[in-house]
Amino acid sequence: MSGRKTKLGIGIALLVSFVVVLVIFFMPIFDGKNGLDYLDNLYNSISKGSAYYIPKVEHMVEDHGSEVVTLNLKMADADTAAAVEPLFATIGLPTSVEANNLMVNGDLATIFGACLDDADAAYHNRGEEIEAKYGASSRAMLYGWWAALTAMEKDLKRQKLFKAADLTHTMQAKTVECAYNYYGIEPQNIKDRWMIVLFSLVFYVIYTVWYGYAIMFIFEGLGFELAAH
C-alpha cells in the first residue's frame, strides 16, 4: 500500500510540475512571445534561410530562353483579371481583359523575369518596391502572380507547350509561394542558432516522456495494472 502511495505521489508531482512548465511556456517571456510562437518563428526563419531557390530558377529561365506566346488566362472572376493585368502591363506587354479572361502577348522570359524580380523583393522583405511599382500591397500582387501563373500553366498545357508549363509551375512553387509564405520573416542560419534548436528538440523528447511517466505512476498508484495474457 505504501508503494502505491509513493507512486501516486510521484505521479501527481510529475503531473503538477508538467502543468506548471506548460503554463510558463505559454507566457510571453521569450522576447515578448510565448514559447510556441518563439519556436515557430525560430524554425520559420531557419527554414527560410534554406528556401532561397530564386537563383536556381533564374538559371532555368535562362536555359529555356526566349519564347513568344499568346496567353488566354482564365481567372477566377473579372475582379481578379483586372487586378492581375498590371503585372503584365507594367512590363510593357499588350493586354486586354474581357470578363474573367486576361489576354497577354509577350516573351515568357520577360514575364518570368518580372515575376522573379517581385519574388526576390518580397523574399528579402522589400515589399515597398512592389507597392511602388503597382500601387497595391505586396502580398496582394504576390497572390496575383500566383493566380496568373496557375492560369498560365493551364493555358500553356492547352497549347502543348509542356516545357514552358513545367517551368511556370516551378516558378510558382519555388519562388512566388516561398516569397509569399516567408514574407516578413528574417532568415537565419541554423549554424547560428544550433544550441537553442538542440535544446528545443531534447526538451520536447523529455517533456513528452515526463507526461507519460506522470500518467503511468498515477495509474499504478491508483491500483491499475496491465494484465498479462
Side-chain angles (χ1 to χ4, degrees), residues 174-201:
K174 295 294 187 180
T175 67
V176 175
E177 286 186 8
C178 285
Y180 186 93
N181 292 334
Y182 286 114
Y183 183 66
I185 297 173
E186 293 296 333
Q188 297 186 65
N189 193 313
I190 192 171
K191 293 179 181 179
D192 299 327
R193 305 302 302 274
W194 70 268
M195 290 187 67
I196 186 65
V197 170
L198 180 62
F199 173 80
S200 65
L201 294 175

Side-chain angles (χ1 to χ4, degrees), residues 102-124:
L102 171 59
M103 301 294 295
V104 180
N105 294 313
D107 193 326
L108 284 178
T110 301
I111 295 172
F112 290 149
C115 181
L116 286 168
D117 287 343
D118 289 347
D120 190 68
Y123 182 90
H124 291 100

Side-chain angles (χ1 to χ4, degrees), residues 13-217:
L14 287 173
L15 187 59
V16 169
S17 58
F18 177 92
V19 173
V20 169
V21 172
L22 185 65
V23 170
I24 294 173
F25 185 75
F26 279 98
M27 294 176 66
I29 59 176
F30 303 91
D31 292 339
K33 305 179 182 69
N34 65 47
L36 187 63
D37 288 338
Y38 177 82
L39 291 177
D40 186 54
N41 290 338
L42 173 65
Y43 282 102
N44 281 338
S45 65
I46 289 173
S47 64
K48 180 175 181 177
S50 60
Y52 186 53
Y53 303 111
I54 291 175
K56 181 179 179 180
V57 177
E58 284 178 340
H59 289 305
M60 295 173 67
V61 172
E62 290 174 3
D63 292 340
H64 185 81
S66 297
E67 185 174 11
V68 178
V69 294
T70 297
L71 299 169
N72 181 8
L73 307 182
K74 296 184 182 300
M75 311 309 296
D77 49 49
D79 290 339
T80 303
V84 166
E85 184 185 19
L87 296 173
F88 302 95
T90 301
I91 54 178
L93 299 183
T95 62
S96 64
V97 177
E98 294 182 6
N100 67 321
N101 291 328
L102 171 59
M103 301 294 295
V104 180
N105 294 313
D107 193 326
L108 284 178
T110 301
I111 295 172
F112 290 149
C115 181
L116 286 168
D117 287 343
D118 289 347
D120 190 68
Y123 182 90
H124 291 100
N125 301 324
R126 302 194 308 271
E128 67 279 359
E129 295 180 11
I130 300 173
E131 292 167 7
K133 185 189 297 186
Y134 302 110
S137 75
S138 53
R139 291 184 70 88
M141 300 317 295
L142 282 175
Y143 176 77
W145 274 121
W146 185 89
L149 292 171
T150 298
M152 277 180 60
E153 183 183 357
K154 292 179 180 178
D155 193 56
L156 290 169
K157 286 181 177 178
R158 180 186 62 81
Q159 298 183 50
K160 295 183 169 41
L161 300 174
F162 297 114
K163 288 185 179 180
D166 288 342
L167 182 55
T168 302
H169 179 79
T170 300
M171 178 76 62
Q172 180 193 55
K174 295 294 187 180
T175 67
V176 175
E177 286 186 8
C178 285
Y180 186 93
N181 292 334
Y182 286 114
Y183 183 66
I185 297 173
E186 293 296 333
Q188 297 186 65
N189 193 313
I190 192 171
K191 293 179 181 179
D192 299 327
R193 305 302 302 274
W194 70 268
M195 290 187 67
I196 186 65
V197 170
L198 180 62
F199 173 80
S200 65
L201 294 175
V202 172
F203 175 78
Y204 175 77
V205 174
I206 293 174
Y207 199 55
T208 303
V209 175
W210 186 342
Y211 179 77
Y213 269 96
I215 298 300
M216 183 186 73
F217 278 120

